[in-house]
Amino acid sequence: MSTSDKPSKPIANIVCLGGGHGLFNTLRSARTIADYVSAIVTVADDGGSSGRIRRELGSLPPGDLRMALAALTKDNERGRMWEEVLQHRFGGSGALKGHALGNFLITGVAQVMGSEMEALDEIGRLLGIEGRVIPMSNEPLDLEAEVLGLEEDPREVVAVRGQVAVASTLGEVRRVKLYPDNPPASKEAVEAILNADLVSMGPGSWFSSVIPHLLVPEIVDALNQTKAVKALVLNLVPEPGETAGMSLEHHIHMVRQHCPSLHIDVVIVDLSTMPVASARHHLDRAAAAIGAKVIYRDVREDDNRGRWTDRHNPKKLAAVLQEVSGGVKDLPERE
């Protein structure tokens, strides 16, 4: 489905919270069913090209912002060309190796304009995006996790600092926090959430892309004040590293542990991961604790040979987001 093939009654305004590839896929879904899509993006990345630019220039890490811009480009020849330009990485063996062109574009325009938000808006206009890419905070943040299982005594808690280190840890992540503590949200992020018709969180790296939004008090306040339907999209499989061995139920518990005040309307679970009845009962209870109803839908991508992948299918996810946008009270548990 292209952006010109939106449903006859598209959702006016969708806001998607996240980062990285999980947010990219959600934005690909949202752009087909919404008049306007806002991406609210984490700003704690410290690896690769983003980390190098952040350390050298003190700017926001541009990588996840670039990915969101690329996801929202139009599904036509010009849009696909701009997506390729943004995502292009330099080769060779010199200082440019591994840098994404789009990271330089965001950083350079921000230096000229004096504002990352103004730069993102200007690039969005250049790309013809029907929406906006918004950093969750206007200052770069650091992520730290409390991790078990890294020392000889498995009960010993170790502090692991940095988004890349947290995402790739071999231990069990118990809790994450941001530095500086309780950072201010960007006013654009708060306004987007308050004006949304639908807000999505996840899928994605749970501790490094999803939960960080819940550690920004003004974002949580906006989520609890908005009249939008709020959907939590669970991952298809545990990620190696930060969520290895973590159940679907535990994903929801982690949301509540980090943000007890948060209210969510619906939790979306793929049918292929649907647990047995006893486990579904526990999943329902975990969701009820954050005010949510669990629904099971087919949202998984296959490889065209009947084998499941670890990715959400943008068209399938778009259909489910469209389904929940009108409210969840009377939605059946299964399609």
Side-chain angles (χ1 to χ4, degrees):
M1 184 185 294
S2 72
T3 50
S4 62
D5 296 325
K6 291 182 182 134
S8 57
K9 292 185 178 180
I11 304 168
N13 194 335
I14 295 180
V15 173
C16 305
L17 279 65
H21 294 283
L23 178 61
F24 184 95
N25 256 10
T26 308
L27 293 172
R28 277 289 156 93
S29 301
R31 71 175 186 173
T32 67
I33 57 171
D35 290 326
Y36 196 87
V37 181
S38 295
I40 300 179
V41 185
T42 54
V43 288
D45 191 5
D46 62 348
S49 172
S50 284
R52 291 158 65 188
I53 290 172
R54 171 182 175 169
R55 286 188 294 273
E56 185 168 336
L57 301 176
S59 60
L60 291 178
D64 285 350
L65 300 168
R66 179 200 82 244
M67 290 273 287
L69 286 169
L72 290 175
T73 54
K74 290 182 179 296
D75 187 16
N76 56 32
E77 185 177 354
R78 185 170 186 272
R80 289 187 288 273
M81 181 275 292
W82 270 112
E83 179 188 351
E84 185 175 351
V85 168
L86 289 170
Q87 301 285 51
H88 174 75
R89 288 190 183 271
F90 294 100
S93 57
L96 291 180
K97 182 179 179 180
H99 274 298
L101 194 158
N103 289 355
F104 286 145
L105 179 63
I106 293 168
T107 305
V109 175
Q111 288 189 345
V112 170
M113 302 189 75
S115 162
E116 273 111 348
M117 190 66 250
E118 289 184 19
L120 291 165
D121 284 344
E122 183 61 33
I123 294 168
R125 286 190 286 271
L126 173 68
L127 303 178
I129 286 172
E130 297 172 359
R132 204 175 194 193
V133 174
I134 304 169
M136 72 177 188
S137 178
N138 289 322
E139 57 183 288
L141 304 173
D142 286 313
L143 189 69
E144 183 176 284
E146 297 174 0
V147 181
L148 291 175
L150 296 180
E151 299 296 327
E152 186 174 337
D153 182 351
R155 298 167 298 178
E156 184 174 347
V157 176
V158 176
V160 174
R161 187 76 172 259
Q163 181 173 308
V164 171
V166 172
S168 59
T169 183
L170 299 178
E172 177 189 348
V173 179
R174 299 296 300 276
R175 182 180 287 274
V176 292
K177 52 187 174 182
L178 291 174
Y179 289 98
D181 191 31
N182 296 322
S186 65
K187 65 180 179 61
E188 293 84 2
V190 171
E191 290 170 359
I193 293 169
L194 292 176
N195 293 325
D197 298 297
L198 174 68
V199 176
S200 72
M201 295 178 59
S205 299
W206 214 244
F207 290 107
S208 49
S209 292
V210 178
I211 287 178
H213 290 85
L214 307 181
L215 305 178
V216 182
E218 290 170 309
I219 285 183
V220 175
D221 289 344
L223 286 169
N224 284 330
Q225 291 174 33
T226 185
K227 295 181 180 178
V229 174
K230 289 165 287 187
L232 182 66
V233 185
L234 294 192
N235 291 341
L236 298 170
V237 295
E239 290 191 295
E242 64 177 76
T243 60
M246 202 164 114
S247 68
L248 295 174
E249 175 192 355
H250 196 56
H251 279 73
I252 300 174
H253 282 314
M254 284 294 101
V255 169
R256 186 171 183 231
Q257 176 180 308
H258 285 82
C259 190
S261 66
L262 181 66
H263 176 93
I264 296 290
D265 296 299
V266 61
V267 174
I268 299 170
V269 181
D270 181 68
L271 274 172
S272 70
T273 65
M274 188 172 181
V276 298
S278 59
R280 287 203 304 274
H281 173 70
H282 294 299
L283 186 58
D284 287 341
R285 285 204 312 178
I290 58 172
K293 176 178 181 176
V294 180
I295 63 168
Y296 299 89
R297 300 292 187 269
D298 174 18
V299 290
R300 195 166 193 163
E301 182 79 82
D302 63 47
D303 64 359
N304 297 320
R305 288 181 289 181
R307 294 180 297 188
W308 295 120
T309 71
D310 295 340
R311 299 185 304 274
H312 286 76
N313 178 293
K315 289 185 178 180
K316 292 178 180 179
L317 182 57
V320 179
L321 292 176
Q322 181 87 49
E323 180 187 9
V324 304
S325 65
V328 301
K329 182 179 178 182
D330 298 321
L331 288 182
E333 179 187 275
R334 298 180 64 174
E335 57 186 4

